[in-house]
Amino acid sequence: MSSSLASPAGNADAAAMMAAALDRAEMTAGNRRTPKARESSIETAPLEAPVRAVLVVFVVDGAGPPVRIDRSLRVGRDSSCEVHVDDESVSRVHAIIEPGDPPTIHDAASRNGTSVGGRRLEEDERAGLAAGTLVTIGAVRLLVDWERVGRATTQIPDVAGIDVPRSGPMVEVFSLAERLASDDITVLLTGETGVGKEVVAHYLHARSPRSAGPFVPVHAAALTASLFESELFGYERGAFTGATGEREGLFEAADGGTLFFDEIGELPLEMQPKLLRVLEDRRVTRVGGRSPRTVDVRILAATNRDLAGESARGRFRSDLYFRLSGFPIAIPPLRERQGEIPSLAEALLASAARERGRPAPEIAPDAIARLVSHDWPGNVRELRSTMTRALLFLDAKTPAIDRSVVERALGQGAASRVHPSAPAEAASASDSDPERRRIVEALARHAGNQAAAAAELGIARRTLLYKLDRLGIPRPRKGRG
């Protein structure tokens, strides 16, 4: 795939992102009719514009440079298109992008239609494009971003070591967190490992009236039965062998602040009634003590498990679940936040560079495209490790990280997850089970249509075909379209 150049390749910015998905589309060859467009009601997140900057669009699944949105742009497979996308799933002239404040996109009378923000565009409808909008035409993704000429991105202030972009699906997450920060209601953060649950917990604390108080994290999986009460509630001198002095527990340590239970779903069943009691009356009694102590704490909890399901199966106390889930917030995985990846990668790279006393290099457009196209099964945690490895692979005199450096960093991460004594095939099969399941289910939902399944999965059709072969999934019969 390629895209025509209308601005310097090094000018792609990793500004704050707003993710949106478009349905796959294919237009009858040669049909270049551009329908009159009407205004769309689709909302886009407002972002601050960089100084003297313009928006650009580039092909995520290709290696082409960005194209400035300073004139009408035709997007399609025809070589005359300003944004040229060489993929069989894309029509000769698939869509039209018009400049403006904001720029807009409308479908060029395609047979299968286009959607923005998860909603299919109606005939003659026009949708606004903000920085960070992710567009999919056919099985190919495009990204709208600010050209780097000096910028001011809309980001959440640093509350956990990095700036977290306020964009795409995360807009709702942090909007909820903002509203809940001033209340003491218990919040249950759910999501896959590595999505940033602790970052949101820190944000809730930092924006709350308790921000001057302590933020005390508790890793529930590390609480053994023998240590549970002494760690959480504290102990008095002589309470047990080795207790040569008194010690406050974590509840007391968090008094006036926030107590965050990470991976609460890992807490053994036999310990859950003791925790429930304290959550209900906010009083703790130290081990070896007789008088209960009142504690003033706000409780936050996080889990990567389905606690409602665990509760229904008797693996987690239902009363504790209801107590913890005063207000649940689901944090989407990074594969559903692709528009956020460029700015988040840049922030993580800058953080890694600061820790090592090095200037942060630029991230080239082809490297950003590769980062956006990755599935990120390890979510933000994997992205952080990848950007750190990319920095270490880069020669100190090289000004930018390109696609080859990212490929090397991603490959090193995959290699590090394979035990040297384990057969490669077994490791691959073990690691890819969830991925295999997602692919098979997507293909089933679309009756074997590879382009449609790829669009749902947010990957290029070619990437899907590679995964089918790698995972040993038989290719469905190729249908029309």
Side-chain angles (χ1 to χ4, degrees):
M1 284 171 241
S2 61
S3 61
S4 302
L5 176 62
S7 63
N11 281 342
D13 179 27
M17 297 292 153
M18 182 194 77
L22 296 149
D23 289 337
R24 60 178 294 270
E26 180 175 351
M27 175 180 171
T28 305
N31 186 350
R32 295 172 183 251
R33 179 173 65 86
T34 303
K36 180 181 178 182
R38 64 179 177 79
E39 294 301 318
S40 168
S41 61
I42 294 176
E43 297 181 357
T44 56
L47 300 175
E48 297 178 44
V51 180
R52 298 184 305 281
V54 296
L55 286 168
V56 296
V57 59
F58 66 92
V59 182
V60 170
D61 299 303
V67 181
R68 300 179 96 191
I69 307 177
D70 55 3
R71 65 198 186 286
S72 180
L73 302 176
R74 292 170 302 156
V75 183
R77 196 174 67 246
D78 193 280
S79 60
S80 67
C81 288
E82 289 77 14
V83 182
H84 178 220
V85 184
D86 185 15
D87 189 275
E88 64 181 15
S89 68
V90 176
S91 303
R92 290 181 62 188
V93 178
H94 196 103
I96 307 294
I97 297 176
E98 300 285 359
D101 186 18
T104 60
I105 185 170
H106 60 268
D107 184 73
S110 72
R111 184 171 60 195
N112 297 319
T114 297
S115 67
V116 175
R119 184 173 70 79
R120 187 183 182 92
L121 293 180
E122 298 177 7
E123 185 178 359
D124 300 339
E125 184 177 7
R126 179 182 311 188
L129 298 175
T133 302
L134 187 68
V135 176
T136 303
I137 58 171
V140 179
R141 291 166 298 174
L142 310 176
L143 186 66
V144 178
D145 203 353
W146 288 117
E147 182 182 52
R148 182 175 296 149
V149 185
R151 58 195 174 152
T153 62
T154 299
Q155 290 183 318
I156 291 169
D158 189 340
V159 294
I162 61 169
D163 286 331
V164 181
R166 196 171 194 167
S167 58
M170 295 304 286
V171 170
E172 182 178 357
V173 170
F174 283 100
S175 177
L176 280 173
E178 189 73 43
R179 293 199 296 270
L180 296 173
S182 61
D183 196 284
D184 265 357
I185 189 171
T186 301
V187 175
L188 178 64
L189 303 166
T190 63
E192 297 176 7
T193 298
V195 294
K197 297 187 288 293
E198 187 167 354
V199 171
V200 178
H202 273 282
Y203 183 79
L204 281 161
H205 173 73
R207 293 293 183 275
S208 76
R210 298 174 175 272
S211 59
F215 178 90
V216 180
V218 182
H219 189 57
L223 292 174
T224 63
S226 59
L227 296 176
F228 179 81
E229 290 188 82
S230 60
E231 285 293 314
L232 287 184
F233 311 144
Y235 55 82
E236 299 287 359
R237 180 180 179 181
F240 49 82
T241 303
T244 57
E246 65 175 27
R247 178 184 172 184
E248 68 177 13
L250 295 175
F251 268 96
E252 288 183 68
D255 192 49
T258 302
L259 189 59
F260 171 55
F261 285 91
D262 194 13
E263 301 303 345
I264 190 65
E266 308 301 321
L267 188 67
L269 197 60
E270 64 270 20
M271 304 178 199
Q272 294 175 19
K274 299 175 183 178
L275 176 59
L276 176 63
R277 177 180 54 81
V278 178
L279 295 184
E280 288 177 339
D281 61 21
R282 290 297 198 272
R283 295 193 300 171
V284 298
T285 302
R286 291 181 176 180
V287 177
R290 296 184 178 180
S291 302
R293 301 167 184 251
T294 300
V295 289
D296 174 25
V297 296
R298 199 248 180 103
I299 302 296
L300 304 177
T303 183
N304 61 4
R305 293 194 178 197
D306 174 15
L307 289 191
E310 295 286 286
S311 175
R313 290 186 288 271
R315 299 173 185 170
F316 196 89
R317 287 185 63 106
S318 58
D319 46 7
L320 179 57
Y321 166 66
F322 290 123
R323 173 65 64 175
L324 291 171
S325 59
F327 201 111
I329 297 180
I331 302 176
L334 194 55
R335 62 181 173 273
E336 296 176 10
R337 296 151 50 187
Q338 291 172 317
E340 176 187 330
I341 291 173
S343 57
L344 187 53
E346 189 175 61
L348 292 167
L349 180 64
S351 177
R354 281 196 305 270
E355 292 173 359
R356 290 159 179 81
R358 295 175 55 174
E362 300 290 337
I363 307 177
D366 63 343
I368 290 176
R370 180 64 184 91
L371 291 169
V372 173
S373 68
H374 188 61
D375 284 344
W376 302 112
N379 293 295
V380 180
R381 190 171 297 154
E382 181 185 1
L383 178 59
R384 179 194 294 272
S385 298
T386 298
M387 299 317 298
T388 300
R389 287 192 296 269
L391 178 68
L392 296 177
F393 281 138
L394 194 68
D395 186 289
K397 298 179 181 179
T398 305
I401 289 174
D402 62 17
R403 188 184 186 100
S404 65
V405 175
V406 171
E407 291 283 8
R408 188 178 178 191
L410 288 169
Q412 185 67 27
S416 68
R417 289 194 293 271
V418 180
H419 193 281
S421 64
E425 296 82 357
S428 175
S430 174
D431 288 347
S432 62
D433 280 347
E435 181 182 40
R436 181 189 178 93
R437 185 165 56 253
R438 288 198 303 271
I439 290 173
V440 170
E441 290 173 352
L443 285 168
R445 278 191 292 272
H446 295 282
N449 188 308
Q450 298 166 12
E456 177 184 319
L457 293 166
I459 60 177
R461 180 173 174 273
R462 292 181 300 177
T463 303
L464 174 62
L465 294 178
Y466 165 77
K467 290 178 180 291
L468 292 178
D469 293 339
R470 177 171 63 84
L471 299 173
I473 302 173
R475 293 191 185 188
R477 287 187 61 188
K478 186 175 180 181
R480 289 191 62 190

